[in-house]
Amino acid sequence: MQTGYVYHDDYLKHDTGLHPENGGRLTAIMDGLKESPYFNRLILIEPVPAKADQIHYIHTHDLIRTVRNFSASLMQLDPDTPTCSRSFEIALLAAGGVILAVDAVMDGMDSVFALVRPPGHHAGPDRSMGFCLFNNIAIAARHAQKKRLEKVLIVDWDVHHGNGTQEAFYKDSSVMYFSIHQSPHYPGTGSVDETGVGDGSGYNINVPLRSGAGDPDYLYVFNEILVPAARKFKPDIILVSAGQDGHRDDPLAGMNLTSEGFGQMAGVVRSLADELCGGKLVLALEGGYNYDALSESVVMIFRALMGECDDISETETRTGVWTEMEAKVEAVMQTRAGAGMGMGTEAGTEQVSNHTRQVVERVKELHSGGKIL
């Protein structure tokens, strides 16, 4: 299985000082990958900067000028989003890296994880915010469509709702956006009732979960909502906003995911790509601010991309569907330490939360009889 990664040391030159989103995140990821048994089997894709007209697929010319000018002046784009003299240049390189990842899977590579920064999913068409300058995943989605892949599924498992991505495609039926995120939490968007408007009505799926949700909750949502929605949508490519800040050790959130849980989610998405779109799967790094947790989670994701999730049966890995959902969720809780609800609880002590079930039922109610569920 041919798996690639996008990386360049220049990504470290977006210098944010002591900000949580700093170059140490990528250094930790690369150190962890190099120590893993998978690194020598991965194919490096060296990024090139996106062109201004590619950024303009999503963003206004005014925003592009603003990012360039603020970067030159070392000004913050918002209270959470600092720049340095090279930030504009590196933001182009980040977007360009995800674009090249799309090209790679279209040329026959099975999957690519773009290890880029700055992240992107909070950046809207006319505003940079939340550590994000340009929306890398949204730009890549439009690039894929320029390459004649008509329908794009974007899966966003970052702990924060990707408000910028949602805004970019809210009226668009050619891009299905699925987000699972902590709520209430920054940026305050992402309610279940935000389902799209006009042609895009029904193609925006938000699953907001309470603090403390863990592996069983996320897998339950994936299999109850994401899998059937993806099968009905039939995407030509799947893109993932892969933020690992839902990890139980992350300092900026309150979820209870494990590193193995991220691997399991990646396994489900990889299986969907294999089934629905010839394996075309691209992931782009978003959040994750505990170095150890981030590094471990990324290694587990690569493990899943390479088809080595040996804690799921061969059939389950291939189809991405757990045919006996309740029994399988129970098995996960019994076998994975820390997978129960609540911070620090032991495995097997909690069921999938009632809140998660209620959210899933509400999502189904909103989308039932529609175009997706």
Side-chain angles (χ1 to χ4, degrees):
M1 185 167 290
Q2 223 179 30
T3 304
Y5 71 103
V6 174
Y7 177 75
H8 199 288
D9 283 341
D10 280 357
Y11 288 136
L12 307 180
K13 294 176 181 177
H14 170 55
D15 185 0
T16 57
L18 298 178
H19 192 278
E21 200 297 292
N22 61 65
R25 301 172 63 236
L26 281 186
T27 300
I29 288 172
M30 293 306 299
D31 287 347
L33 273 180
K34 289 172 184 176
E35 293 173 0
S36 77
Y38 313 115
F39 183 69
N40 290 334
R41 295 160 54 192
L42 300 175
I43 299 169
L44 172 64
I45 299 170
E46 292 197 13
V48 297
K51 299 175 181 177
D53 63 340
Q54 293 174 314
I55 303 298
H56 188 50
Y57 293 161
I58 297 297
H59 299 292
T60 64
H61 287 303
D62 283 345
L63 178 65
I64 296 169
R65 282 192 294 269
T66 296
V67 175
R68 181 192 293 115
N69 293 339
F70 275 48
S71 177
S73 302
L74 311 184
M75 296 173 63
Q76 295 204 165
L77 288 157
D78 83 343
D80 296 317
T81 313
T83 67
C84 70
S85 62
R86 299 195 64 179
S87 293
F88 176 73
E89 168 194 344
I90 305 308
L92 294 179
L93 192 66
V98 188
I99 286 171
L100 282 185
V102 169
D103 289 342
V105 298
M106 290 189 68
D107 289 340
M109 193 170 289
D110 294 291
S111 58
V112 178
F113 195 163
L115 302 173
V116 303
R117 61 179 293 271
H121 73 151
H122 293 309
D126 60 0
R127 181 183 181 188
S128 301
M129 61 179 286
F131 311 173
C132 303
L133 279 63
F134 299 132
N135 196 316
N136 306 316
I137 207 79
I139 292 166
R142 284 294 186 230
H143 175 74
Q145 292 179 323
K146 296 283 185 182
K147 304 278 279 191
R148 291 186 265 188
L149 297 179
E150 294 181 3
K151 294 198 291 184
V152 180
L153 167 61
I154 298 176
V155 177
D156 189 337
W157 68 52
D158 189 279
V159 80
H160 305 95
H161 178 245
N163 57 300
T165 309
Q166 174 173 288
E167 182 181 358
F169 303 116
Y170 206 57
K171 300 177 182 179
D172 191 338
S173 62
S174 70
V175 177
M176 188 174 84
Y177 177 63
F178 169 91
S179 176
I180 182 169
H181 49 272
Q182 182 176 328
S183 180
H185 205 31
Y186 180 89
T189 53
S191 78
V192 293
D193 300 307
E194 296 166 15
T195 59
V197 296
D199 289 344
S201 180
Y203 291 91
N204 195 87
I205 303 175
N206 287 316
V207 187
L209 301 182
R210 287 179 183 167
S211 174
D215 296 0
D217 297 273
Y218 276 69
L219 292 168
Y220 183 76
V221 169
F222 268 46
N223 287 285
E224 288 286 301
I225 302 296
L226 176 61
V227 168
R231 284 178 162 167
K232 190 165 184 179
F233 183 63
K234 296 182 174 61
D236 298 306
I237 189 171
I238 299 176
L239 309 181
V240 180
S241 276
Q244 283 59 249
D245 39 6
H247 196 283
R248 62 186 179 187
D249 294 332
D250 195 274
L252 299 190
M255 291 310 211
N256 200 30
L257 283 164
T258 66
S259 301
E260 292 83 358
F262 283 105
Q264 293 237 4
M265 288 191 292
V268 172
V269 174
R270 182 187 64 80
S271 298
L272 281 173
D274 289 345
E275 176 186 345
L276 300 174
C277 51
K280 290 187 285 293
L281 173 63
V282 169
L283 298 86
L285 185 68
E286 299 283 1
Y289 306 100
N290 176 298
Y291 291 173
D292 290 341
L294 177 59
S295 177
E296 291 169 2
S297 297
V298 169
V299 169
M300 293 302 297
I301 290 168
F302 273 111
R303 177 180 175 222
L305 296 180
M306 300 176 82
E308 297 191 6
C309 281
D310 56 10
D311 52 343
I312 309 176
S313 77
E314 180 68 21
T315 299
E316 289 156 356
T317 300
R318 185 176 65 252
T319 65
V321 178
W322 292 11
T323 55
E324 298 178 8
M325 174 58 59
E326 297 298 332
K328 296 299 184 182
V329 168
E330 186 68 24
V332 171
M333 290 190 293
Q334 291 175 355
T335 59
R336 180 165 290 107
M341 284 298 302
M343 303 300 285
T345 56
E346 293 299 319
T349 62
E350 300 285 347
Q351 301 290 327
V352 173
S353 77
N354 287 332
H355 175 261
T356 298
R357 296 182 190 277
Q358 290 166 5
V359 171
V360 166
E361 290 308 308
R362 177 60 176 153
V363 171
K364 288 181 177 179
E365 177 186 345
L366 286 168
H367 291 274
S368 64
K371 302 155 187 170
I372 297 301
L373 290 174

